[in-house]
Amino acid sequence: YRESIPFLYSQQYFDLPPYEYFDIYKFGLSLVPVQELEFYFDMAYNHNKKAGQIDDNMNHYGLEIAYAPTDKVSFLFKYTLSRWLDMVELNASGSEIYSWHHNFFFESRYRLDPASEFIFDYGVGHVVPLGVSTNDPFGGALAVLDTQHILRLYYRKKF
């Protein structure tokens, strides 16, 4: 059950100080056709293809749809298509494989009253979700590259 996988992999693949400058281009567009529905499109282009999924600066395209038909019920769907160098393969063989990754996330909420709700999640969401979306009881989840087939059902109550 124990395998040695260095967290930062081999350092020769990463730049050393002084770092070269590079540009990150980002775009986001929020559309709210009706009060109950929001679409959010975003993308980022980062010349540094080794920039990982710790924030939204890695190369990606994203779509979020938040729908709250009533005060008690709301839904969130998020899809992210991202590109990144396979760091495990880079460390093992030195091959720079720049591949596509798909991440789906879904959440639904049912508010029993203003202080309590049932929440159902599929997958692992994004670092910065839309307003009606996640309130992760596990302290916040980092963005992931590929869909994680995790189902969560929990009850949240404010005391």
Side-chain angles (χ1 to χ4, degrees):
Y1 68 93
R2 181 177 165 90
E3 183 179 355
S4 177
I5 300 177
F7 179 73
L8 292 178
Y9 304 97
S10 298
Q11 294 300 301
Q12 74 267 18
Y13 300 119
F14 297 94
D15 296 333
L16 297 174
Y19 301 109
E20 290 184 29
Y21 287 100
F22 61 90
D23 295 320
I24 299 172
Y25 301 96
K26 297 170 81 171
F27 172 79
L29 175 66
S30 177
L31 298 173
V32 184
V34 292
Q35 181 178 352
E36 299 83 13
L37 182 64
E38 180 178 2
F39 296 94
Y40 180 69
F41 305 93
D42 73 312
M43 63 147 305
Y45 172 76
N46 188 340
H47 178 71
N48 180 6
K49 295 178 181 174
K50 297 180 182 99
Q53 69 272 28
I54 59 171
D55 56 26
D56 64 351
N57 289 330
M58 73 180 298
N59 291 304
H60 77 278
Y61 303 96
L63 167 66
E64 293 181 45
I65 302 171
Y67 179 56
T70 70
D71 290 339
K72 290 186 171 275
V73 178
S74 62
F75 303 96
L76 172 79
F77 169 78
K78 176 158 180 67
Y79 171 72
T80 305
L81 174 64
S82 54
R83 273 189 104 179
W84 194 44
L85 285 175
D86 185 333
M87 299 306 283
V88 174
E89 183 64 33
L90 179 64
N91 187 47
S93 68
S95 299
E96 291 193 3
I97 301 172
Y98 192 53
S99 57
W100 291 99
H101 298 271
H102 305 273
N103 184 358
F104 293 93
F105 173 74
F106 174 78
E107 176 176 273
S108 64
R109 292 173 167 229
Y110 179 72
R111 291 173 189 83
L112 300 170
D113 56 57
S116 63
E117 63 187 345
F118 279 105
I119 302 171
F120 171 76
D121 288 345
Y122 169 75
V124 176
H126 192 260
V127 176
V128 184
L130 291 171
V132 297
S133 66
T134 64
N135 185 353
D136 189 343
F138 305 105
L142 290 177
V144 295
L145 285 174
D146 297 304
T147 301
Q148 302 298 304
H149 303 289
I150 299 171
L151 300 174
R152 296 186 221 169
L153 176 62
Y154 49 93
Y155 172 73
R156 190 174 73 104
K157 170 104 176 134
K158 295 178 186 176
F159 294 97

